[in-house]
Amino acid sequence: NMLNKKFVIKLALLTLVVTAAAFSVYYERLSSTISKVKETLVFPELASEIGSIRKITIKNSQGSQKGSFTIVPEGKQWKVLEKGGYLARDAAIRETLLGLTELVYLEAKTKDPNRHKKLNLEDTKLKTSKATQIILENDSGKILVDAHFGKRVQNLSGGTPSAYFRQSTDAQTWLVRGEVEVRGEILDWLSVVLLSIQRERILKASFRSSNQPALILRYNEDMERFDIQDLVKDREIKSRYRVLNVGTIPENLTLKDVRPAKLTPDPKLRSVEWQTPDGLIVTLKLAREDGSDKRQWAHISAVTLKNAKEKVKDEARKINSKTRGWEFWLGDDVVKRLNETPETLTKEKAAD
């Protein structure tokens, strides 16, 4: 979705505002300089109250897989309570608050609750509801926003999108316009990127487990590919693409689920160590519960060699600040790639 230009400018300027409290002051200034058109704001008071928000609740119907969740500030960061207080994504908070602040009424629609369903605006208490409810509360528990969001309407000319909306306590529905990305999924609110180490920086990736042969990959810059170290003479790589897929795991490693760490890594499951030429060493170890949950959870940590530069030490600190004390489910696809071996990636050489 193409955010409109004014919105992007405001977002960029607000990124510079560290605390929510300063938001309103900046916002007032920005708005007076950027927008001259008078439209009816849905939440006219919100801009001046953003500094006092202490709770964002997102509700989906109980019939939906998405569930409901709560995000609260702690110091300068926001945390998602249902994930043990894991870090929320700053951009998601900023865009949502700014989007709600700028939301404007376009036109009144139906008042008939029997027709709410068609606009995806049924009460989230109903199992059949497809609405997403957003509730914002301030530090004294006062509700600043309580709204149901339904179907989105794309703006074909590429301008600001619109959506069907109603105040939760009111049957009157509206078409409203604004850059509100209604994020109903908990993953959309989490800070999901765990590692971003580009392939060119991978000196060596070592995959080990007690009951499987080790796989050691090195990046070959000339050929722009990963090679398997110590590959026996009578084997050859089946698919360069598959090897590359294993090598590039840390380029954009994202979580699919997270919880406070409770398992102990199992030496029978895979562990990986990634080493960079500038002295960063990242380790990932897998763990699994005995019960019905067959998912393998990852523990991730970073260290640096003594002679590493400050920039690399910062990188390690940043990784650890997101991963220490947590375990992550990375999805079946990544776990499958972590479990590749020299055997699975190669075949017998064809006789000459």
Side-chain angles (χ1 to χ4, degrees):
N1 112 18
M2 286 297 297
L3 298 173
N4 83 40
K5 220 184 207 140
K6 283 182 192 166
F7 189 79
V8 172
I9 294 169
K10 289 186 188 178
L11 208 53
L13 291 165
L14 286 171
T15 309
L16 308 172
V17 183
V18 183
T19 62
F23 179 104
S24 32
V25 186
Y26 269 78
Y27 183 77
E28 302 281 296
R29 252 184 257 161
L30 284 175
S31 290
S32 55
T33 55
I34 292 183
S35 86
K36 291 280 173 273
V37 186
K38 269 286 159 249
E39 287 173 315
T40 311
L41 291 170
V42 177
F43 302 109
E45 304 300 308
L46 188 58
S48 58
E49 292 174 322
I50 272 183
S52 67
I53 293 170
R54 291 294 171 271
K55 194 172 171 190
I56 301 173
T57 307
I58 307 292
K59 285 189 177 175
N60 293 291
S61 89
Q62 288 175 338
S64 133
Q65 293 297 303
K66 295 175 185 173
S68 298
F69 47 95
T70 313
I71 303 148
V72 297
E74 193 179 294
K76 285 181 183 172
Q77 294 173 320
W78 291 75
K79 313 251 164 129
V80 182
L81 293 185
E82 285 68 13
K83 291 296 171 193
Y86 194 70
L87 223 53
R89 201 155 59 87
D90 275 349
I93 308 283
R94 261 197 315 269
E95 287 173 20
T96 301
L97 296 181
L98 181 56
L100 289 168
T101 303
E102 305 223 306
L103 202 62
V104 293
Y105 286 113
L106 285 184
E107 56 179 305
K109 296 291 181 184
T110 180
K111 269 192 186 133
D112 179 358
N114 296 316
R115 294 170 67 193
H116 284 175
K117 187 173 183 169
K118 204 172 158 212
L119 304 177
N120 290 356
L121 283 175
E122 280 188 308
D123 198 303
T124 55
K125 291 187 192 72
L126 299 171
K127 279 222 161 82
T128 51
S129 173
K130 288 196 173 76
T132 296
Q133 185 177 0
I134 299 181
I135 303 167
L136 304 183
E137 290 173 57
N138 72 5
D139 35 23
S140 55
K142 179 185 161 203
I143 301 219
L144 307 176
V145 169
D146 183 354
H148 277 56
F149 286 86
K151 281 188 178 154
R152 285 179 66 118
V153 184
Q154 280 311 320
N155 183 329
L156 297 178
S157 62
T160 308
S162 42
Y164 293 103
F165 154 98
R166 66 183 181 85
Q167 305 280 5
S168 297
T169 51
D170 189 355
Q172 175 67 59
T173 63
W174 297 85
L175 187 61
V176 291
R177 189 176 66 222
E179 298 284 1
V180 180
E181 178 75 57
V182 180
R183 297 176 163 91
E185 303 263 1
I186 199 162
L187 264 186
D188 296 335
W189 289 88
L190 290 168
S191 180
V192 292
V193 179
L194 300 170
L195 298 176
S196 41
I197 303 168
Q198 297 312 301
R199 63 193 76 176
E200 295 79 14
R201 276 185 75 206
I202 297 167
L203 186 62
K204 186 172 158 188
S206 318
F207 299 74
R208 303 178 193 281
S209 44
S210 59
N211 54 0
Q212 274 176 316
L215 169 68
I216 295 172
L217 297 180
R218 288 181 177 275
Y219 188 67
N220 178 334
E221 275 193 52
D222 299 333
M223 306 291 283
E224 296 186 352
R225 69 183 194 196
F226 283 94
D227 290 327
I228 299 176
Q229 186 176 302
D230 302 328
L231 183 57
V232 284
K233 293 278 182 281
D234 59 352
R235 308 278 298 172
E236 61 183 356
I237 285 171
K238 278 186 207 165
S239 152
R240 279 282 162 202
Y241 176 72
R242 241 174 94 179
V243 177
L244 190 68
N245 244 341
V246 178
T248 53
I249 290 170
E251 277 200 334
N252 183 30
L253 187 66
T254 57
L255 64 89
K256 298 281 186 283
D257 200 357
V258 55
R259 65 188 185 192
K262 58 176 188 176
L263 303 175
T264 308
D266 179 345
K268 287 202 282 294
L269 298 176
R270 251 347 195 193
S271 73
V272 193
E273 186 182 275
W274 289 285
Q275 248 178 307
T276 68
D278 48 13
L280 177 69
I281 299 170
V282 177
T283 306
L284 180 155
K285 295 179 174 181
L286 292 172
R288 184 166 48 199
E289 277 180 273
D290 294 337
S292 56
D293 185 1
K294 289 285 171 262
R295 293 186 291 178
Q296 298 184 19
W297 293 79
H299 290 210
I300 298 170
S301 59
V303 294
T304 56
L305 298 176
K306 278 203 179 68
N307 58 358
K309 291 204 164 76
E310 202 48 44
K311 185 178 146 210
V312 180
K313 289 181 176 165
D314 268 348
E315 186 181 2
R317 278 193 283 270
K318 209 168 153 192
I319 292 169
N320 288 327
S321 73
K322 290 187 100 170
T323 61
R324 185 182 287 126
W326 302 95
E327 55 196 21
F328 307 96
W329 184 58
L330 304 171
D332 292 327
D333 173 55
V334 172
V335 172
K336 195 175 143 192
R337 288 190 276 157
L338 289 169
N339 279 291
E340 297 272 27
T341 69
E343 273 64 36
T344 61
L345 292 172
T346 62
K347 60 185 182 191
E348 218 170 305
K349 261 189 189 162
D352 292 338

